[in-house]
Amino acid sequence: MGRIRLQWSRIWQVLGDHINAVGCNNVQDISFFAVDSLRQLATKFIEKGELPNFHFQKDFLRPFEHIMKCNKAGAVRDMVVRCVANMVHSQANNIKSGWTNIFTVFHLAAADQDENIVELSFQTVGKITTELYEKQFRIMIDSFQDSIKCLSEFACNSLFPDTSMESIRLIRRCAQFISTHSNLFQEQTMEDQPNKIPDTDRIWIKGWFPILFELSCIVSRCKLDVRTRGLTVLFDIVKSYGDQFEAHWWQDLFQVLFRIFDSMKLKQNSDEDLPDRVAAKTEWLNTTCNHALYALTDVFSQYFAVVSPLLLNDLFAQLQWCVQQDNEQLARSGISCLENLVLSNGDKFNADSWDSLCQCLHDLFSSTTPSQLLTWSPAPHTSSMSSSPRPPSVDPTLLVDIDSDIGYPPPRHHSNRSSTSNGHPNNELSNTRQLFNVLSVKCVVQLELIQCIDNIVFYPAASKKEDAAFLSAAQSQRSANFVPPVHDSRGIFKYLSLHHLSTLLDCLIQAHRFARNFNSNQEQRNILWKSNFIGNAKPNLMKQETQALACSLRIMFRVYLEDDRSESWLEVEKRLIPLTHEVIEYFLSLSAETHSEAWTSVLILLFTQMSRLKDDRLKVFVGPVYNHLCEYWMLDLRPEVCAVLRNLFVRIGSVYNIVVQNVPQPPSAAVQSADQQQSLKHHQVVVNGDLHRS
């Protein structure tokens, strides 16, 4: 042992390979002897210490890695772990460059199935991260990434869930340590790096990034409970310490966050039909993806000023992907996150941000339109799918959304047979059920998108309050003098230009007309009904038809009645007048009572807003539709609709000078009327007196 280190380095080039070979020998006694000899040599070398700029410890500890990797004998692996753990406990102060090898050994042990090996390895790593980091982190900084990778491997060992949870806790502790010891990364020279890293980026590359990356790996690899814990810790770290991140780090960070979703994207085209793959994907979409989506949006909102210029379009693309996955819960979550993002940060959007948002919504409306509802027909030999169950992933509330005129269908008591029915192959029934499931989800998504636009523009629940106020005024017969409620200032209507509002109107009117065409196509609806599209209920899109139209009218009348937007009145008028004519004419064609009832709130909104127009504008509106409005009196309308329609006709009469209100009586007539009243009173007194005397 008295030789100089340079001599030992040359000797070890030969001796190390020999120990590697002997340590992997199939005879266990020989392997034991090799490992024990290596332990004795390693202990002697570590006791001598290591000079600056020398890395001999890496060389003579490398055989431990090789034996641990190549020898599958449990007893030998256990001995390797015990040797390395003993060195950590007894010689930690003298270890310098050897920390990387030590963490590599424990990383290999972390995936073992032997509880003793995993437990001893984890205890040693825990001692390093909780005790030794506080004392000598400066000389261990180069191996920090290896320690995080080691803890990640412990977390991914599904055989020991308690160890997995504890390893995630230690990763969080490492994040706290970095936050309070950032100066150590600044002082480190990192001479091993071929390209010098800027001082400001050292803590990111050597500290923060490994932690965040390994946590994302845990989310991608582990079972539900562990990955949920990992996901929570990942976003807690970002939220807690994000204010310490440089602006250009966020792009790398969001690439790490987005890769959480990539694990499922890459599996979409492989083994898609296997039941276990379908079940795993459904679980992932409903749990991890949902959780990650909300957390991602929260982080983006918290640091919006920094990340928006870099990543807003990427976030829109991610949300768009989630909505398009034909999974109802995930689609609802994606739309909800988009809505929250805009409501929380709309006042910080610039013109480009609004362009991106409107384009995103336009693409979502186009890609989720259930166009096949208008064209689908069963195979020539298919007459019924009564034996097929309702698609399993469709939320029961879908029946309320799509079948608002019928409600829930009656219970179905027939059996769900998987064998052929009426001579149809199983795969044909399965494909049809899958298509119906996709179309049902798209119907729900369209409703959610319509509500999203309404909430974004006017703020959640604002439209419902306005409709309630309009209905209350109509019921109390005071709509003529009705003062509409003050608009909620928290909506982002005031930030939207006419160009952006026009894009949203295109989406809404497209959704309205599609639903109207479907509702009018009785033959196609009967085909879907007989094919058991959503159970025993006849399908319709009444909510989509009325809600999309109501939101469109609300937006256009809001612009048309605001003096601050007078420059946009002409453009809005070009869209609003034809749409009003189209709507009033279409309602006259409705024959089903339930369909007419669904239009009550739309008619009250339309007639109330028309009554609020100034005289010159009302003339422009009334001309093309007056004859149709007159026909409304031939219909059996609800009293509330009649009330607002009556007030509209009163306004029309006033505008065209058909009626004159509060006509004063001439003086002579007034005097004559007074004399008549006096004479009548005298006559009554006389008559009463006569009756009294008699």
Side-chain angles (χ1 to χ4, degrees):
M1 298 302 296
R3 294 183 176 91
I4 63 173
R5 292 174 177 83
L6 185 60
Q7 289 177 325
W8 272 115
S9 180
R10 292 175 179 175
I11 293 172
W12 202 258
Q13 291 177 1
V14 178
L15 187 57
D17 292 338
H18 177 69
I19 293 178
N20 287 342
V22 177
C24 296
N25 195 283
N26 292 330
V27 180
Q28 187 168 299
D29 291 341
I30 297 177
S31 300
F32 274 160
F33 184 80
V35 173
D36 186 62
S37 300
L38 179 61
R39 177 190 61 80
Q40 296 179 47
L41 286 171
T43 303
K44 294 291 185 181
F45 284 133
I46 292 176
E47 287 177 352
K48 294 181 65 174
E50 187 174 59
L51 298 176
N53 301 324
F54 279 83
H55 303 93
F56 187 49
Q57 290 181 357
K58 281 186 177 180
D59 295 331
F60 67 76
L61 289 178
R62 194 167 288 122
F64 283 117
E65 297 180 39
H66 181 82
I67 297 171
M68 193 69 187
K69 183 176 181 180
C70 300
N71 196 324
K72 303 305 179 183
V76 176
R77 294 167 64 83
D78 182 79
M79 184 176 183
V80 171
V81 170
R82 292 185 183 281
C83 291
V84 175
N86 183 64
M87 284 189 286
V88 171
H89 284 83
S90 61
Q91 300 289 336
N93 294 333
N94 293 326
I95 301 175
K96 291 183 172 58
S97 64
W99 285 113
T100 299
N101 309 82
I102 290 172
F103 284 123
T104 303
V105 170
F106 291 146
H107 176 268
L108 294 169
D112 207 288
Q113 298 182 4
D114 189 297
E115 183 177 2
N116 294 327
I117 294 176
V118 174
E119 184 65 24
L120 178 59
S121 302
F122 183 72
Q123 288 178 357
T124 309
V125 174
K127 173 182 173 63
I128 295 172
T129 55
T130 56
E131 298 179 17
L132 298 182
Y133 273 179
E134 294 289 344
K135 301 176 182 177
Q136 55 188 74
F137 185 74
R138 185 175 280 99
I139 64 174
M140 303 172 67
I141 197 168
D142 279 335
S143 62
F144 181 75
Q145 298 175 80
D146 301 286
S147 68
I148 300 300
K149 187 176 181 181
C150 181
L151 289 171
S152 173
E153 194 65 26
F154 280 113
C156 293
N157 192 330
S158 60
L159 298 177
F160 309 102
D162 293 340
T163 302
S164 299
M165 294 297 187
E166 185 65 15
S167 64
I168 295 174
R169 186 190 69 82
L170 291 178
I171 293 177
R172 184 201 286 270
R173 183 184 177 91
C174 289
Q176 296 172 345
F177 183 83
I178 292 177
S179 175
T180 55
H181 295 79
S182 58
N183 60 305
L184 298 179
F185 288 89
Q186 303 295 335
E187 297 170 1
Q188 199 227 4
T189 59
M190 291 194 296
E191 296 179 359
D192 289 348
Q193 298 295 331
N195 299 320
K196 184 174 177 60
I197 299 176
D199 292 345
T200 56
D201 292 342
R202 286 177 185 168
I203 189 173
W204 172 250
I205 294 173
K206 295 298 239 180
W208 290 117
F209 187 81
I211 288 177
L212 300 172
F213 180 81
E214 292 301 332
L215 284 170
S216 72
C217 292
I218 293 172
V219 174
S220 301
R221 294 175 54 191
C222 296
K223 292 184 178 180
L224 178 59
D225 52 347
V226 177
R227 72 171 181 254
T228 301
R229 181 61 179 166
L231 191 66
T232 302
V233 171
L234 170 60
F235 282 101
D236 282 350
I237 290 174
V238 175
K239 292 177 182 179
S240 300
Y241 306 113
D243 54 351
Q244 301 180 22
F245 296 172
E246 298 291 335
H248 61 281
W249 297 353
W250 284 98
Q251 199 147 12
D252 294 336
L253 170 58
F254 269 83
Q255 293 306 315
V256 172
L257 300 180
F258 286 148
R259 75 184 295 273
I260 296 172
F261 305 91
D262 292 342
S263 62
M264 191 55 63
K265 292 180 184 178
L266 295 175
K267 297 174 184 176
Q268 283 184 338
N269 298 323
S270 62
D271 300 333
E272 191 70 25
D273 295 329
L274 296 178
D276 56 342
R277 173 62 62 198
V278 174
K281 180 178 179 180
T282 302
E283 181 195 50
W284 183 85
L285 290 174
N286 291 337
T287 55
T288 304
C289 190
N290 232 9
H291 184 179
L293 204 58
Y294 279 104
L296 189 67
T297 307
D298 289 343
V299 168
F300 204 96
S301 296
Q302 184 175 347
Y303 299 102
F304 185 85
V306 179
V307 300
S308 174
L310 301 171
L311 295 158
L312 184 59
N313 290 337
D314 293 334
L315 181 59
F316 283 154
Q318 191 65 62
L319 294 173
Q320 187 172 334
W321 177 84
C322 292
V323 175
Q324 294 170 338
Q325 290 311 293
D326 298 327
N327 180 282
E328 183 182 342
Q329 181 175 345
L330 182 60
R332 290 179 186 270
S333 299
I335 295 171
S336 177
C337 289
L338 181 63
E339 178 185 320
N340 293 337
L341 176 69
V342 178
L343 288 174
S344 301
N345 306 285
D347 56 338
K348 306 167 193 171
F349 275 29
N350 54 30
D352 292 338
S353 302
W354 290 121
D355 288 340
S356 300
L357 171 65
C358 292
Q359 186 60 46
C360 176
L361 288 169
H362 184 274
D363 292 344
L364 283 174
F365 267 98
S366 300
S367 61
T368 59
T369 299
S371 304
Q372 288 177 283
L373 286 179
L374 298 175
T375 59
W376 182 87
S377 61
H381 57 278
T382 303
S383 60
S384 175
M385 287 184 57
S386 60
S387 63
S388 63
R390 183 180 300 118
S393 68
V394 179
D395 193 309
T397 58
L398 177 64
L399 297 175
V400 178
D401 293 335
I402 299 180
D403 308 322
S404 55
D405 59 330
I406 299 178
Y408 288 94
R412 301 169 61 200
H413 302 292
H414 52 266
S415 62
N416 296 331
R417 294 186 295 272
S418 60
S419 60
T420 58
S421 175
N422 299 328
H424 309 315
N426 285 337
N427 60 347
E428 183 179 329
L429 293 175
S430 176
N431 291 338
T432 303
R433 284 197 297 268
Q434 184 177 3
L435 174 62
F436 283 177
N437 177 37
V438 170
L439 293 176
S440 300
V441 172
K442 285 186 175 181
C443 292
V444 175
V445 171
Q446 290 278 301
L447 276 175
E448 291 293 321
L449 287 171
I450 293 167
Q451 191 61 51
C452 174
I453 291 181
D454 190 277
N455 291 344
I456 286 174
V457 175
F458 300 111
Y459 201 75
S463 297
K464 291 183 179 180
K465 292 178 181 178
E466 185 179 66
D467 286 341
F470 286 164
L471 179 62
S472 176
Q475 290 173 338
S476 61
Q477 303 293 323
R478 57 181 175 83
S479 55
N481 300 319
F482 171 65
V483 178
V486 178
H487 296 299
D488 197 315
S489 61
R490 291 172 292 180
I492 53 92
F493 175 84
K494 55 183 175 292
Y495 302 111
L496 290 168
S497 67
L498 181 62
H499 168 70
H500 299 130
L501 289 173
S502 297
T503 303
L504 300 181
L505 286 171
D506 290 339
C507 299
L508 294 168
I509 294 174
Q510 173 189 337
H512 161 71
R513 287 174 176 161
F514 175 85
R516 192 177 68 189
N517 291 339
F518 177 76
N519 292 333
S520 302
N521 194 338
Q522 298 295 333
E523 181 180 355
Q524 182 66 17
R525 290 173 61 194
N526 286 332
I527 291 174
L528 293 169
W529 183 19
K530 293 176 182 179
S531 299
N532 204 19
F533 171 48
I534 50 172
N536 294 339
K538 188 175 181 179
N540 71 78
L541 299 176
M542 289 183 189
K543 278 197 171 184
Q544 179 175 327
E545 176 184 302
T546 55
Q547 290 183 6
L549 177 60
C551 188
S552 302
L553 294 173
R554 215 181 303 275
I555 291 174
M556 286 190 278
F557 274 112
R558 175 80 175 269
V559 175
Y560 202 56
L561 292 171
E562 281 197 355
D563 294 336
D564 295 341
R565 291 183 179 255
S566 57
E567 73 282 356
S568 303
W569 288 349
L570 184 59
E571 289 296 322
V572 172
E573 195 175 85
K574 291 178 181 178
R575 301 189 66 151
L576 184 54
I577 292 177
L579 181 63
T580 302
H581 183 272
E582 180 183 323
V583 167
I584 292 175
E585 186 176 9
Y586 172 71
F587 182 79
L588 293 172
S589 67
L590 300 182
S591 57
E593 181 180 354
T594 53
H595 202 166
S596 301
E597 288 288 329
W599 273 69
T600 298
S601 61
V602 177
L603 294 178
I604 292 176
L605 170 65
L606 176 61
F607 295 154
T608 301
Q609 297 289 37
M610 288 178 65
S611 301
R612 296 177 59 205
L613 295 176
K614 295 181 180 179
D615 292 356
D616 55 339
R617 293 197 214 170
L618 185 58
K619 285 184 179 181
V620 177
F621 270 77
V622 169
V625 298
Y626 184 76
N627 290 335
H628 293 306
L629 288 175
C630 292
E631 293 182 30
Y632 272 58
W633 294 115
M634 306 296 294
L635 303 176
D636 184 16
L637 300 175
R638 290 186 57 174
E640 298 86 354
V641 178
C642 291
V644 292
L645 185 59
R646 177 256 180 198
N647 288 315
L648 177 59
F649 270 92
V650 170
R651 282 278 288 118
I652 294 172
S654 175
V655 168
Y656 285 94
N657 296 320
I658 298 174
V659 295
V660 180
Q661 299 177 348
N662 299 325
V663 180
Q665 293 181 337
S668 58
V671 172
Q672 183 180 1
S673 176
D675 292 342
Q676 290 176 351
Q677 292 177 0
Q678 187 66 27
S679 175
L680 180 60
K681 290 180 180 180
H682 178 72
H683 176 70
Q684 290 175 342
V685 169
V686 172
V687 171
N688 289 336
D690 291 342
L691 289 173
H692 180 70
R693 284 193 296 271
S694 64

